[in-house]
Amino acid sequence: MRKVAGYTAPTSTPYCTNCKGLYSEINNLEWGDLRNGSEVRQQSQAWKEAETIIKKEELAKEYGVRWTPFYDMPWWDPVRHITLGWLHCWQEGVLQFHLRILWGFEMTGDEDFGDVDPQDLADELADLQQEQAEFDASQASDATPPPTSESEMDEAGTAQATSSTQPLYFTLDEDDRDWVENEGGDVENATDSFPTAFDFPEDHRAEFLADLWHILLPSFIARPPINLGDPGHGKLKGDELLTLFNYMFSLSVPKLWWRKGNTFWASLLKNFHHLAGSSNIIASFTTSSAKGHQYNTEYLAYLQGVQTLFPLWNLVPNHHFALHYGDLMSFWGPIPGLSDAKGEEVNGILQRFPTSRRLADMPYTMMKSFLRRTRLEAKVFDAQFTDQALQNLASILDSRCAPNSPSVPRRTVSPVEEARFFQIGTILPESDYTVILQYLQSLGQNWSSFYDFPQPPGAPVFAHAGRNCKHLTLRKRTYSTLASNEADSHIQFAHPATGIRDTGYIEAIWELGLGGAIQPFILVRQHKALDPSEEALGPYLTYPNFRCRLVGAAQSDVLIVLEPPHIITHLSVLKLNTGVFGLQRKSMVVCWALDRGREE
């Protein structure tokens, strides 16, 4: 979008598309004066009318903008109509910088580009190098290397590690520089060396990586590689970084740094809490003025903490760009709605199609393969198969097609169909039957029990047989029983009687006939709540932005009947041994950040 609007590289003097902040003042956490669309249009016109290359470059350096044909559209605003994609700026920018640079999980493996034309990559690299060289020359006088101690520097200018908790330097190689290139928002610092405040101590690192392996994630979430810091897994994608920071780190990091008796670890945890709060807000599919204000507060506190904890390096443009997300939320709405991630996903799919460098054959190779895949996905989604073999295949490809997975929360049937459904159904355990009947009666429905004799005159009898399901598909997400798939069974829900949110796991799913309709009921075993004194031993009451809570690992006695609208989201879960946080029993941390504001 920067190129479309004619803005120069993020490392140019006025580098922001929203304000007039200078690159030399990047560590200033206050905005510069905001840009104005009319003023930017005038600046681009001045660049267009300049008669010499030198004059054009002077204007581009002064204003940070060049003319493009988009300025011929009078309705187009070169400031307000430029969105800040959160894939490159936030996920692959702010989050990746925090993981790789600040926490020292360096990832230097080769990226898998698939079947990409090497000549295209070489041409693009040459263009980037030429543009970088031009801007490096113009910025050379302003570049200031981060301060270092002579005692910690060798002849090559690389800091020597003296302690696992002392600041270290590492130097980015060519592969590393790819993710901080100044195109598309993944930007670089003014120098090649990025200082990091510390290396994870080995015991912390081992425990941290072990936790990532044991965290339960719902099946629709792709599990990121858990060997962080190992070059073997290559570079992390944006959605993997979001999964790590929003759904996984919040379960493990507090366990490492909570009440360690050291202000450094406490400050690191508090800083991560502000980042997690910012990330959860920016990832939300709903927004409001209050959320925008909260984001500004959390993110500013995060940057202030970064400057205190990691003083040896400068902020990068992505950090400044993200300061404007609160304002962008007010103008555009939820940031994920503006996401460039879908476009990147399609690009990845198309890149993997072999073209054999025969562009004339593209309609018969790339497009044909793409359309075949689309048609197959549509058929699997519709699940309209007369052939049993195809039905079985579709059940494997997509659980929504499985015969024991209801995909419609409630459907109307004829009396004959309902009788047949009852005839082939499974007898409910009496405990399940009783709790569902009591739930329906609490709603004012006048059902009588099949086991009551004599039956009340005129009262409908609640059927005692139905279909015992392993899965339920709701809003394109699969929810499962604990026995079928534990990772898909832990949920957050709204209590039917009070609307209060709580957490638990799905114990059973029944489809039952209800006088002309077939309806699913979900039996949820509520997570066992800890005593207030026990819960206070953990960090989650102090740090609510993690969107987590501590619960007991033992089974509770509370069984709740839910209907599909009561389910809010899946949970990510980490089981804890006795002694963690000082608890004298096994416990679990559950995180509901996966809702991303959809049910708020």
Side-chain angles (χ1 to χ4, degrees):
M1 293 299 291
R2 296 181 64 95
K3 287 186 175 180
V4 167
Y7 290 105
T8 54
T11 51
S12 56
T13 303
Y15 63 101
C16 182
T17 61
N18 290 282
C19 70
K20 301 176 182 179
L22 302 179
Y23 187 75
S24 59
E25 301 174 356
I26 195 169
N27 291 318
N28 185 354
L29 300 183
E30 296 182 359
W31 292 356
D33 294 333
L34 293 178
R35 286 188 186 261
N36 177 277
S38 300
E39 184 180 6
V40 171
R41 186 179 293 276
Q42 294 172 3
Q43 293 166 353
S44 70
Q45 188 65 27
W47 181 92
K48 180 183 179 182
E49 295 174 356
E51 297 180 353
T52 66
I53 295 178
I54 294 177
K55 182 61 176 178
K56 287 180 181 290
E57 289 306 312
E58 289 177 353
L59 291 173
K61 183 176 181 180
E62 181 179 358
Y63 299 123
V65 66
R66 302 183 180 97
W67 180 89
T68 74
F70 268 67
Y71 287 95
D72 287 339
M73 298 183 291
W75 52 267
W76 183 70
D77 189 322
V79 177
R80 278 304 191 182
H81 293 170
I82 298 298
T83 61
L84 182 59
W86 78 311
L87 170 63
H88 292 103
C89 179
W90 187 261
Q91 298 175 41
E92 296 180 354
V94 173
L95 297 185
Q96 185 163 201
F97 194 93
H98 193 95
L99 178 65
R100 291 179 60 180
I101 308 305
L102 303 185
W103 283 0
F105 282 93
E106 187 178 2
M107 289 159 282
T108 59
D110 294 334
E111 186 173 3
D112 180 13
F113 286 97
D115 296 322
V116 182
D117 190 339
Q119 185 59 47
D120 291 343
L121 291 177
D123 293 343
E124 183 177 355
L125 179 60
D127 292 341
L128 290 174
Q129 290 174 337
Q130 175 63 28
E131 186 172 352
Q132 182 64 51
E134 294 175 359
F135 285 109
D136 283 347
S138 64
Q139 296 295 318
S141 60
D142 297 329
T144 302
T148 55
S149 170
E150 292 183 1
S151 61
E152 295 177 346
M153 298 294 290
D154 61 11
E155 293 180 358
T158 304
Q160 302 300 305
T162 57
S163 167
S164 62
T165 59
Q166 287 183 344
L168 303 174
Y169 280 97
F170 61 86
T171 300
L172 299 181
D173 59 19
E174 288 302 319
D175 287 333
D176 283 321
R177 293 183 66 85
D178 289 344
W179 78 272
V180 291
E181 63 184 6
N182 59 10
E183 298 296 326
D186 290 345
V187 294
E188 65 178 336
N189 204 336
T191 64
D192 288 348
S193 295
F194 286 72
T196 178
F198 72 104
D199 256 351
F200 258 71
E202 285 304 317
D203 56 338
H204 283 203
R205 184 183 293 262
E207 184 177 352
F208 181 67
L209 296 180
D211 286 345
L212 297 187
W213 175 262
H214 291 105
I215 287 174
L216 297 176
L217 288 175
S219 57
F220 72 92
I221 296 291
R223 180 176 291 275
I226 54 87
N227 56 332
L228 296 180
D230 186 342
H233 65 68
K235 292 180 172 63
L236 294 176
K237 299 177 181 178
D239 59 343
E240 292 174 331
L241 288 159
L242 191 71
T243 297
L244 286 169
F245 276 89
N246 287 26
Y247 318 141
M248 300 181 75
F249 288 168
S250 298
L251 304 175
S252 178
V253 170
K255 183 162 67 79
L256 300 176
W257 298 342
W258 174 246
R259 292 184 176 175
K260 293 296 183 182
N262 184 305
T263 56
F264 176 69
W265 300 114
S267 298
L268 281 175
L269 181 58
K270 186 175 182 180
N271 180 247
F272 172 56
H273 177 248
H274 290 308
L275 177 60
S278 305
S279 192
N280 282 322
I281 293 172
I282 203 174
S284 175
F285 286 97
T286 58
T287 191
S288 63
S289 298
K291 278 189 175 182
H293 179 73
Q294 183 185 1
Y295 170 82
N296 290 336
T297 302
E298 295 293 341
Y299 185 62
L300 185 60
Y302 164 69
L303 290 183
Q304 290 170 341
V306 164
Q307 290 183 327
T308 301
L309 291 167
F310 313 105
L312 299 183
W313 56 271
N314 296 320
L315 298 181
V316 296
N318 277 330
H319 290 119
H320 172 85
F321 298 156
L323 283 169
H324 293 283
Y325 273 128
D327 180 56
L328 293 175
M329 289 181 204
S330 300
F331 184 77
W332 286 102
I335 297 302
L338 311 174
S339 174
D340 42 3
K342 275 299 178 184
E344 294 284 351
E345 181 182 337
V346 172
N347 286 342
I349 293 173
L350 296 178
Q351 282 180 345
R352 289 191 291 272
F353 289 145
T355 63
S356 302
R357 302 186 68 179
R358 296 170 61 91
L359 299 183
D361 293 341
M362 283 183 63
Y364 305 100
T365 55
M366 182 181 296
M367 294 307 300
K368 190 173 183 179
S369 299
F370 190 77
L371 292 174
R372 279 179 175 174
R373 172 174 172 161
T374 303
R375 285 195 293 268
L376 175 61
E377 289 180 346
K379 285 182 176 293
V380 170
F381 183 84
D382 292 339
Q384 297 177 355
F385 299 101
T386 56
D387 189 300
Q388 185 61 41
L390 291 177
Q391 177 65 55
N392 294 339
L393 175 61
S395 300
I396 296 173
L397 296 176
D398 192 333
S399 63
R400 289 170 296 192
C401 305
N404 63 350
S405 175
S407 58
V408 180
R410 179 187 176 97
R411 62 185 186 275
T412 303
V413 294
S414 67
V416 174
E417 291 173 320
E418 185 175 357
R420 187 178 297 114
F421 178 82
F422 173 79
Q423 182 181 13
I424 63 175
T426 303
I427 303 298
L428 277 73
E430 188 168 353
S431 59
D432 289 2
Y433 180 85
T434 300
V435 73
I436 295 175
L437 177 61
Q438 290 173 347
Y439 167 73
L440 293 174
Q441 290 174 341
S442 71
L443 299 179
Q445 299 184 23
N446 189 30
W447 293 98
S448 64
S449 172
F450 174 84
Y451 299 101
D452 287 345
F453 296 100
Q455 297 287 344
V461 177
F462 182 48
H464 68 298
R467 185 166 65 161
N468 188 5
C469 304
K470 295 180 179 179
H471 313 285
L472 170 70
T473 299
L474 183 64
R475 298 185 291 271
K476 300 183 180 181
R477 299 286 184 256
T478 298
Y479 296 87
S480 306
T481 62
L482 181 72
S484 175
N485 185 349
E486 183 179 3
D488 282 337
S489 70
H490 292 275
I491 63 171
Q492 185 190 44
F493 61 90
H495 198 287
T498 63
I500 296 175
R501 295 189 175 198
D502 210 331
T503 62
Y505 62 84
I506 299 175
E507 190 168 282
I509 302 173
W510 288 97
E511 271 199 319
L512 303 174
L514 286 180
I518 305 296
Q519 180 174 336
F521 294 92
I522 303 99
L523 303 187
V524 173
R525 182 72 60 178
Q526 184 175 312
H527 285 142
K528 191 173 185 63
L530 299 178
D531 295 334
S533 59
E534 291 180 305
E535 195 167 3
L537 294 174
Y540 297 106
L541 294 178
T542 303
Y543 295 122
N545 289 342
F546 288 138
R547 310 194 74 186
C548 299
R549 64 178 290 214
L550 278 170
V551 297
Q555 176 178 298
S556 75
D557 298 327
V558 182
L559 189 64
I560 300 175
V561 179
L562 303 181
E563 297 181 58
H566 298 136
I567 295 178
I568 297 174
T569 186
H570 288 93
L571 303 174
S572 54
V573 178
L574 177 62
K575 298 180 180 180
L576 306 177
N577 292 324
T578 301
V580 177
F581 296 127
L583 296 173
Q584 299 309 307
R585 55 169 159 166
K586 291 184 177 180
S587 60
M588 300 189 299
V589 186
V590 297
C591 174
W592 55 88
L594 280 155
D595 73 325
R596 294 182 63 181
R598 288 185 178 93
E599 296 300 320
E600 294 183 356

